[in-house]
Amino acid sequence: MKHTFFIKDWLNSFLSLLFPHCCVVCGRPLAKGEECLCTMCNINLPRTNYHLRKDNPVERLFWGQIPLERATSFFFYRKGSDFRQILHQLKYGGKKEVGIIMGRYMAAELLDSGFFGGVDVIIPIPLHKKKQQIRGYNQSECIARGIAAVTGIAVCVESVVRRKNTETQTRKSVFERWENVDGIFELNHADSLTGKHILIVDDVLTTGATIIACASRLAEVEGTRISVLTLAMAD
């Protein structure tokens, strides 16, 4: 058995020399034990730490819109910042493992704060099936799977369906973003969510229009409570 582990470890080391895993932010080869981010980029990640603040700016964004329990984003998404590469590689670089790893990092840091306390199920913001077929995966689901690996909370991808294949929100005005997501989500097997505390997970928070559109449908189910967690927040 030890001999087998030695061979596997040697093979992994040899392959890493030929095809080194690199930090998605700075591009430097990752050291043994590092995943996705090198130690220095992990230290310098512009964390919001909003999970430590009651009535933080993310929560205030949703006040009066949905029955909110708590909300936060992990790091700031700033124009021109190298840390934008995290989302770029996840969404457009085909690196779904970035979402899983960052989901684990995020959950591990939030766990002791009690942020996940009482949450029954995690629902990632769904992609339209055509967009998901093109990309090959839903980046928000990847993040949710990483969170689930740390928290043990189940991920549900069947309860909310995205019926409209909307255009990207990136270059739209605030009004256009709201108009773009109007009525795009439908519920499926909604009875299974009755009385549940739902954690909605998304990749990046801008105006909150997409999350509110999804949460508004979930709020139609009797007794639901909603929390929100995104990997990044546009600053």
Side-chain angles (χ1 to χ4, degrees):
M1 182 66 74
K2 290 183 179 179
H3 183 66
T4 302
F5 283 136
F6 175 79
I7 294 175
K8 184 178 180 181
D9 190 54
W10 177 87
L11 182 60
N12 287 336
S13 298
F14 178 72
L15 290 173
S16 68
L17 288 174
L18 294 178
F19 310 102
H21 294 288
C22 296
C23 174
V24 296
V25 176
C26 70
R28 295 191 185 97
L30 295 173
K32 187 174 181 179
E34 294 177 340
E35 291 185 286
C36 187
L37 301 178
C38 69
T39 299
M40 189 56 65
C41 286
N42 197 347
I43 291 172
N44 292 328
L45 185 73
R47 291 166 170 82
T48 70
N49 288 318
Y50 284 160
H51 63 288
L52 302 175
R53 292 173 52 186
K54 185 175 176 57
D55 302 337
N56 65 62
V58 178
E59 291 181 352
R60 291 202 296 266
L61 186 64
F62 298 110
W63 280 356
Q65 312 254 19
I66 58 176
L68 185 72
E69 292 288 309
R70 61 188 80 102
T72 192
S73 298
F74 189 45
F75 72 92
F76 290 112
Y77 181 80
R78 294 181 172 121
K79 185 176 181 180
S81 169
D82 290 340
F83 290 98
R84 294 179 68 189
Q85 282 297 319
I86 296 172
L87 290 169
H88 185 82
Q89 292 298 322
L90 172 59
K91 293 181 72 170
Y92 309 115
K95 295 184 177 180
K96 66 179 182 180
E97 69 275 8
V98 170
I100 297 170
I101 294 168
M102 292 304 298
R104 294 205 321 262
Y105 282 168
M106 179 166 58
E109 290 195 25
L110 270 61
L111 196 60
D112 288 342
S113 72
F115 183 85
F116 301 104
V119 173
D120 298 302
V121 63
I122 301 171
I123 295 183
I125 292 290
L127 286 180
H128 189 271
K129 60 182 180 180
K130 288 185 178 179
K131 187 172 288 185
Q132 185 159 335
Q133 285 172 354
I134 293 171
R135 185 168 294 168
Y137 56 90
N138 175 2
Q139 72 275 5
S140 295
E141 182 181 345
C142 294
I143 297 167
R145 296 293 178 191
I147 295 168
V150 173
T151 63
I153 302 170
V155 176
C156 178
V157 296
E158 297 87 18
S159 295
V160 183
V161 179
R162 195 169 190 145
R163 292 300 185 191
K164 295 181 182 179
N165 189 13
T166 55
E167 300 174 4
T168 180
Q169 299 272 72
T170 305
R171 299 185 183 279
K172 293 186 178 296
S173 67
V174 174
F175 175 76
E176 287 172 334
R177 285 172 185 262
W178 284 98
E179 194 174 43
N180 195 41
V181 298
D182 184 41
I184 66 172
F185 296 111
E186 291 185 9
L187 297 182
N188 191 26
H189 306 301
D191 290 347
S192 65
L193 299 176
T194 300
K196 295 293 178 64
H197 182 176
I198 301 165
L199 176 64
I200 296 177
V201 168
D202 203 4
D203 54 353
V204 60
L205 175 66
T206 48
T207 64
T210 303
I211 291 174
I212 291 171
C214 179
S216 295
R217 295 311 306 267
L218 289 169
E220 295 173 6
V221 182
E222 184 179 357
T224 53
R225 293 170 293 143
I226 294 168
S227 291
V228 174
L229 176 57
T230 71
L231 181 59
M233 178 186 185
D235 184 24

